[in-house]
Amino acid sequence: MEKLLAPGHRACAGCSMPTVINLVLDAAGPNTIVATPTGCIEVTTTPYPESAWRVPWIHSLFENAAAVASGIEAALNHFGKNHNVFVIAGDGSTLDIGMGCISGMFDRGHNVKYVCYDNEAYMNTGVQRSSSTPPCTSTTTTPSGKVSFGNPRPKKDMPAIAVAHRVPYVATASVAYPVDLRRKVKRAISIPGPAYIQVNAPCITGWSFEAGTTVEIARLAVETCLWPLYEYVNGELAGVKKIHVKRPVEDYLKAQGRYRHLFRMKGGDEMIRVLQRLADENARKFGLLYEGDVTCTSGE
């Protein structure tokens, strides 16, 4: 099957974002219209006059992709046409700049499927912190140093905000689990009304890891329970991905330059314990572990 995002785009080698787009479009099919806000996705796929999109695609502003998609869906309904309408956007436009329009789209119940590829900072403009940036992450606006362990704020829980809007289908996904991601996209399409899927999408430049290890980094996020995979249907937890062997967060943190300071600074070990407690809380909250689960120590 022809990929609906053509090769030859300008994304970095090792970037997970184009893979996320192709997995989403592979599941949705060619009968799909996509709206995107400003961000890596727009800059790398459509340098004027070129475009890598093989489905109808529109870009407007940083803040209004959800409003644009709402209008598209309303117009299609008016003319009796049936298409999948998607927003595919980064975390900055989703969790920060576009929050008002997303809330309106959710509230009005538009049949729009919103996919956030979450690379946990404003990568396109130089790795500035977003409200999706995890605590203790070094970014250009929350740099680590003598008096800072990096980002001091918690990661905003956008899936919980979507559930609070009574969005019928809400899920998290990972580029390391493509079958699961495609299945969730198809399930989102099958359920009328808005849907929200947030996909963990490692950024090779912003996270600073070895080229070629993107999928391994994404898998470690799941295996440490820092990125739980779950889905909510009509406000009820409908499924989680269980973890057979829960890895310590050090395995995930050591692989990325954005956390390197935690292993060098005095007091960094306590910050690592804080992150481990976040992972442990995820495991407890979502029931990620089997009975008699195994938690291995760092390096095993």
Side-chain angles (χ1 to χ4, degrees), residues 5-133:
L5 184 76
H9 51 72
R10 312 294 174 83
C12 302
C15 175
S16 60
M17 180 261 295
T19 304
V20 171
I21 296 173
N22 266 318
L23 289 170
V24 170
L25 294 179
D26 181 51
N31 186 35
T32 298
I33 299 172
V34 178
T36 71
T38 301
C40 293
I41 191 171
E42 166 253 337
V43 172
T44 60
T45 63
T46 52
Y48 181 82
E50 302 166 358
S51 176
W53 294 88
R54 287 171 170 160
V55 295
W57 170 87
I58 184 170
H59 162 253
S60 181
L61 301 173
F62 221 141
E63 67 271 26
N64 68 350
V68 170
S70 299
I72 294 170
E73 188 254 3
L76 290 170
N77 286 340
H78 177 77
F79 290 107
K81 296 183 179 297
N82 183 28
H83 295 267
N84 302 316
V85 180
F86 274 74
V87 175
I88 304 179
D91 51 286
S93 56
T94 301
L95 280 72
D96 293 337
I97 300 172
M99 175 65 79
C101 289
I102 295 169
S103 178
M105 184 198 81
F106 287 165
D107 183 58
R108 294 187 298 271
H110 287 281
N111 189 24
V112 173
K113 315 307 175 186
Y114 196 110
V115 177
C116 172
Y117 65 95
D118 184 4
N119 55 26
E120 301 184 329
Y122 289 86
M123 301 308 183
N124 177 48
T125 51
V127 198
Q128 295 88 5
R129 173 195 177 273
S130 78
S131 56
S132 191
T133 302

Side-chain angles (χ1 to χ4, degrees), residues 56 121 174 193 218 263:
S174 167
F263 299 92

Side-chain angles (χ1 to χ4, degrees), residues 13-288:
C15 175
S16 60
M17 180 261 295
T19 304
V20 171
I21 296 173
N22 266 318
L23 289 170
V24 170
L25 294 179
D26 181 51
N31 186 35
T32 298
I33 299 172
V34 178
T36 71
T38 301
C40 293
I41 191 171
E42 166 253 337
V43 172
T44 60
T45 63
T46 52
Y48 181 82
E50 302 166 358
S51 176
W53 294 88
R54 287 171 170 160
V55 295
W57 170 87
I58 184 170
H59 162 253
S60 181
L61 301 173
F62 221 141
E63 67 271 26
N64 68 350
V68 170
S70 299
I72 294 170
E73 188 254 3
L76 290 170
N77 286 340
H78 177 77
F79 290 107
K81 296 183 179 297
N82 183 28
H83 295 267
N84 302 316
V85 180
F86 274 74
V87 175
I88 304 179
D91 51 286
S93 56
T94 301
L95 280 72
D96 293 337
I97 300 172
M99 175 65 79
C101 289
I102 295 169
S103 178
M105 184 198 81
F106 287 165
D107 183 58
R108 294 187 298 271
H110 287 281
N111 189 24
V112 173
K113 315 307 175 186
Y114 196 110
V115 177
C116 172
Y117 65 95
D118 184 4
N119 55 26
E120 301 184 329
Y122 289 86
M123 301 308 183
N124 177 48
T125 51
V127 198
Q128 295 88 5
R129 173 195 177 273
S130 78
S131 56
S132 191
T133 302
C136 302
T137 302
S138 183
T139 72
T140 53
T141 50
T142 58
S144 60
K146 292 181 180 178
V147 296
S148 172
F149 288 105
N151 177 36
R153 299 294 301 155
K155 183 182 178 81
K156 185 184 291 182
D157 191 348
M158 186 65 190
I161 292 172
V163 171
H165 279 76
R166 302 184 184 277
V167 171
Y169 184 75
V170 178
T172 58
S174 167
V175 72
Y177 296 85
V179 174
D180 179 69
L181 172 53
R182 283 196 294 261
R183 181 186 64 79
K184 287 174 175 172
V185 170
K186 290 180 179 179
R187 191 170 191 186
I189 292 171
S190 73
I191 298 175
Y196 179 77
I197 301 175
Q198 189 161 322
V199 187
N200 180 248
C203 171
I204 189 169
T205 54
W207 296 19
S208 185
F209 55 81
E210 290 292 329
T213 61
T214 303
V215 171
E216 293 174 25
I217 296 291
R219 186 176 295 117
L220 277 171
V222 174
E223 291 176 342
T224 56
C225 298
L226 284 170
W227 188 270
L229 297 179
Y230 57 82
E231 52 191 330
Y232 280 84
V233 178
N234 295 323
E236 299 292 332
L237 185 62
V240 301
K241 177 173 178 53
K242 296 277 190 177
I243 305 299
H244 287 282
V245 179
K246 179 170 172 282
R247 303 192 69 87
V249 297
E250 287 97 327
D251 289 0
Y252 175 68
L253 304 176
K254 282 180 177 177
Q256 303 170 62
R258 62 178 180 160
Y259 295 117
R260 189 171 297 131
H261 58 286
L262 298 180
F263 299 92
R264 296 174 175 173
M265 293 174 61
K266 184 179 180 181
D269 52 348
E270 177 54 34
M271 295 299 104
I272 292 172
R273 283 193 286 274
V274 169
L275 295 173
Q276 184 63 63
R277 286 196 287 273
L278 290 176
D280 295 343
E281 174 58 21
N282 284 337
R284 184 202 63 77
K285 177 180 178 181
F286 295 105
L288 300 178

